[in-house]
Amino acid sequence: MVSEIKTLVTFFGGTGDLAKRKLYPSVFNLYKKGYLQEHFAIVGTARQQLSDDEFKQLVRDSIKDFTEDQAQAEAFIAHFSYRAHDVTDAASYGILKSAIEEAATKFDIDGNRIFYMSVAPRFFGTIAKYLKSEGLLAETGYNRLMIEKPFGTSYATAEELQSDLENAFDDDQLFRIDHYLGKEMVQNIAALRFGNPIFDAAWNKDYIKNVQVTLAEVLGVEERAGYYDTTGALLDMIQNHTMQIVGWLAMEKPESFNDKDIRAAKNAAFNALKIYNEEEVNKYFVRAQYGAGDTADYKPYLEEADVPADSKNNTFIAGELQFDLPRWEGVPFYVRSGKRLAAKQTRVDIVFKAGTFNFDPKGAIELKLNAKSVEDAFNTRTINLDWAVSDEDKKNTPEPYERMIHDTMNGDGSNFADWNGVSIAWKFVDAITAVYDADEAPLETYKSGSMGPEASDKLLAENGDAWVFKG
């Protein structure tokens, strides 16, 4: 039996693509499951001039593929309202305030406000400031701010943004979204690691040879070249998604499984992450760009539309992370991410000194063990112990945005990045970026449709290791 959540959510960027594709369907799923019943309200806001009826039609269209009962959908949509407003104009917040208070009264919601910022990052600080100065924060219940990535573009810009946000919100009111942390694969890490004594006892240098995190994409930059050429794989995938996954893998067992203790355990690991100098960047990291492939569909990165002909941007990154912790002494954490690779895959491979353990993004788990061969002589062979999530479980598994909105409603920050983790990730990545910006590192190329440059394989071979996932 689920408990009703009483809350009012204001979506900034309420007419945008993310809201239509992910956010409204996610809220609808929470409604269908009974978490939202009578005492909730959704207020959408953006620059676009829409009436309430026009906005409700937008929502109706966004949830149509998830609607089995039209009467149920209409009951859900009745909780929506809309106000056009300019986030940079202090005076227009009065219009939004009136809409929020009207919705709160209509659906009998006393406090409990969530503000979701699905807007350009340059507006994050401005919105937070005006939410406080113009009186949009609730005086009872909670106030929480959900923020899409990127959280800054460097440590300096992230620190400036953090300062702006803290003028209106405490850090435990900030929910920094990394949708990878809402994926079932990542959710499984803690359960499998700490819920099974065999893994809990073996999760250390005595039994683990290395840890591998792969976030691979088959697509190129598509229409995103203007943005991507200023970020690359390092900032787009390593600084946020990959580092947050690594946090779950490297952390000590928390004192309890509430969000404060989980964050404390993650931060102990992040604080022990070695930050590299220039020589170490070149030793432990590989950057590369994709070149041509076997077909004309695979154009080199430098020939993609809107990519500068002299771009040194990385479309592939591989590296080794090191943690100065007794648990992980001598154990490399390998990470890699790139575009135009052989397969779309997000996976974690734990390579034990005898065997391999894999978390698959689709909810599958694979354990490879050494066992005796059936031959007369005493030889070993590798056997697989596999589990895959059932179709019924897949149907009931929340999408990442659904899970993260639900967690925010419950005040559970376990699956969100906190400031300490974000700041360490930026300091680590800034040290690498400084070397790349100065062009003091080799820029490899790799064949589109491969799993990256040869230098990526050599990086692991230096330690007698190899990538488990071959594409």
Side-chain angles (χ1 to χ4, degrees):
M1 187 71 178
V2 301
S3 299
E4 179 184 15
I5 299 172
K6 295 184 178 183
T7 191
L8 190 154
V9 184
T10 302
F11 285 104
F12 290 86
T15 62
D17 183 61
L18 179 65
K20 290 183 285 188
R21 286 189 304 106
K22 298 291 187 180
L23 304 184
Y24 301 146
S26 293
V27 178
F28 187 39
N29 281 340
L30 294 176
Y31 180 76
K32 290 192 291 185
K33 292 175 181 178
Y35 295 111
L36 302 176
Q37 298 176 18
E38 297 300 322
H39 303 288
F40 79 97
I42 307 295
V43 177
T45 183
R47 282 182 174 270
Q48 189 175 350
Q49 294 292 334
L50 293 177
S51 67
D52 274 0
D53 286 344
E54 288 171 327
F55 179 60
K56 288 178 179 179
Q57 184 58 49
L58 179 151
V59 175
R60 188 175 292 110
D61 292 340
S62 79
I63 66 171
K64 64 182 180 182
D65 291 340
F66 307 91
T67 299
E68 297 88 22
D69 181 339
Q70 194 60 45
Q72 180 188 51
E74 293 304 320
F76 169 71
I77 293 167
H79 290 257
F80 282 68
S81 58
Y82 181 83
R83 292 296 184 276
H85 123 279
D86 180 356
V87 298
T88 65
D89 178 15
S92 73
Y93 282 80
I95 299 171
L96 186 57
K97 180 180 179 181
S98 296
I100 290 172
E101 292 176 346
E102 181 181 323
T105 299
K106 181 177 180 180
F107 295 104
D108 191 22
I109 307 164
D110 186 17
N112 293 357
R113 295 181 184 175
I114 295 173
F115 302 92
Y116 193 117
M117 295 202 287
S118 180
V119 295
R122 67 181 182 276
F123 297 127
F124 291 171
T126 300
I127 294 172
K129 177 181 70 174
Y130 286 139
L131 288 176
K132 181 176 182 179
S133 68
E134 304 310 309
L136 279 74
L137 303 182
E139 295 180 358
T140 58
Y142 59 72
N143 293 286
R144 294 169 184 155
L145 190 67
M146 298 185 73
I147 311 164
E148 283 288 339
K149 79 174 187 78
F151 197 87
T153 56
S154 64
Y155 173 75
T157 57
E159 185 178 41
E160 182 180 358
L161 175 56
Q162 177 70 9
S163 177
D164 289 343
L165 296 178
E166 284 184 338
N167 288 328
F169 294 86
D170 295 331
D171 199 55
D172 62 2
Q173 295 176 301
L174 301 177
F175 290 75
R176 301 171 190 81
I177 300 164
D178 187 327
H179 68 277
Y180 271 73
L181 295 183
K183 289 179 179 287
E184 191 66 16
M185 178 200 76
V186 181
Q187 297 280 311
N188 252 325
I189 293 174
L192 288 165
R193 177 182 167 185
F194 300 119
N196 296 284
I198 186 173
F199 294 129
D200 194 14
W203 209 267
N204 56 60
K205 64 182 180 181
D206 295 331
Y207 299 97
I208 292 178
K209 191 171 190 295
N210 65 73
V211 177
Q212 302 179 18
V213 180
T214 297
L215 281 70
E217 300 177 272
V218 296
L219 296 177
V221 291
E222 307 299 298
E223 292 82 30
R224 298 176 67 226
Y227 161 77
Y228 191 80
D229 200 65
T230 64
T231 57
L234 181 63
L235 302 189
D236 195 42
M237 300 297 283
I238 301 297
Q239 186 276 333
N240 38 64
H241 307 318
T242 308
M243 293 293 285
Q244 292 301 319
I245 293 171
V246 167
W248 277 109
L249 298 167
M251 65 188 276
E252 295 293 318
K253 187 173 184 176
E255 292 186 13
S256 74
F257 285 91
N258 66 41
D259 57 347
K260 287 184 172 55
D261 287 342
I262 289 172
R263 285 180 165 183
K266 282 185 184 177
N267 284 331
F270 284 134
N271 292 341
L273 177 65
K274 184 176 181 180
I275 296 175
Y276 296 139
N277 59 32
E278 179 182 326
E279 181 181 351
E280 290 167 331
V281 167
N282 280 310
K283 180 178 180 180
Y284 296 118
F285 266 79
V286 172
R287 66 169 176 164
Q289 276 183 4
Y290 62 79
D294 289 332
T295 71
D297 294 334
Y298 288 141
K299 290 194 298 186
Y301 178 71
L302 294 180
E303 294 181 15
E304 297 277 22
D306 300 323
V307 172
D310 60 349
S311 173
K312 296 292 183 71
N313 186 36
N314 56 86
T315 65
F316 176 94
I317 286 288
E320 175 184 330
L321 279 60
Q322 300 172 7
F323 291 92
D324 186 16
L325 293 168
R327 176 183 295 271
W328 298 120
E329 182 181 0
V331 178
F333 281 66
Y334 300 118
V335 299
R336 63 175 168 172
S337 182
K339 291 188 175 294
R340 282 282 187 236
L341 298 180
K344 181 176 174 58
Q345 185 73 271
T346 299
R347 61 184 280 146
V348 173
D349 292 289
I350 311 298
V351 181
F352 288 88
K353 292 181 178 178
T356 303
F357 186 50
N358 167 45
F359 297 89
D360 184 273
K362 297 177 182 177
I365 300 165
E366 179 182 279
L367 180 61
K368 294 182 179 180
L369 300 175
N370 290 326
K372 182 186 175 298
S373 171
V374 295
E375 302 163 358
D376 289 338
F378 188 86
N379 296 315
T380 60
R381 61 175 175 169
T382 300
I383 62 172
N384 293 338
L385 302 180
D386 299 340
W387 170 84
V389 66
S390 67
D391 289 340
E392 182 65 21
D393 281 346
K394 286 179 184 177
K395 186 172 69 174
N396 294 325
T397 299
E399 289 294 319
Y401 279 98
E402 177 189 340
R403 177 175 275 136
M404 304 193 89
I405 291 172
H406 189 203
D407 284 351
T408 304
M409 291 175 174
N410 286 329
D412 184 354
S414 303
N415 297 307
F416 296 85
D418 74 349
W419 170 237
N420 184 82
V422 170
S423 65
I424 295 295
W426 272 124
K427 289 176 181 178
F428 179 81
V429 166
D430 279 355
I432 301 170
T433 299
V435 177
Y436 292 170
D437 285 350
D439 203 18
E440 297 293 337
L443 178 63
E444 309 286 344
T445 58
Y446 61 98
K447 181 181 177 181
S448 288
S450 71
M451 281 304 297
E454 185 180 347
S456 170
D457 297 321
K458 288 181 178 179
L459 177 71
L460 275 65
E462 289 288 332
N463 296 327
D465 298 327
W467 293 109
V468 173
F469 180 63
K470 308 294 185 183

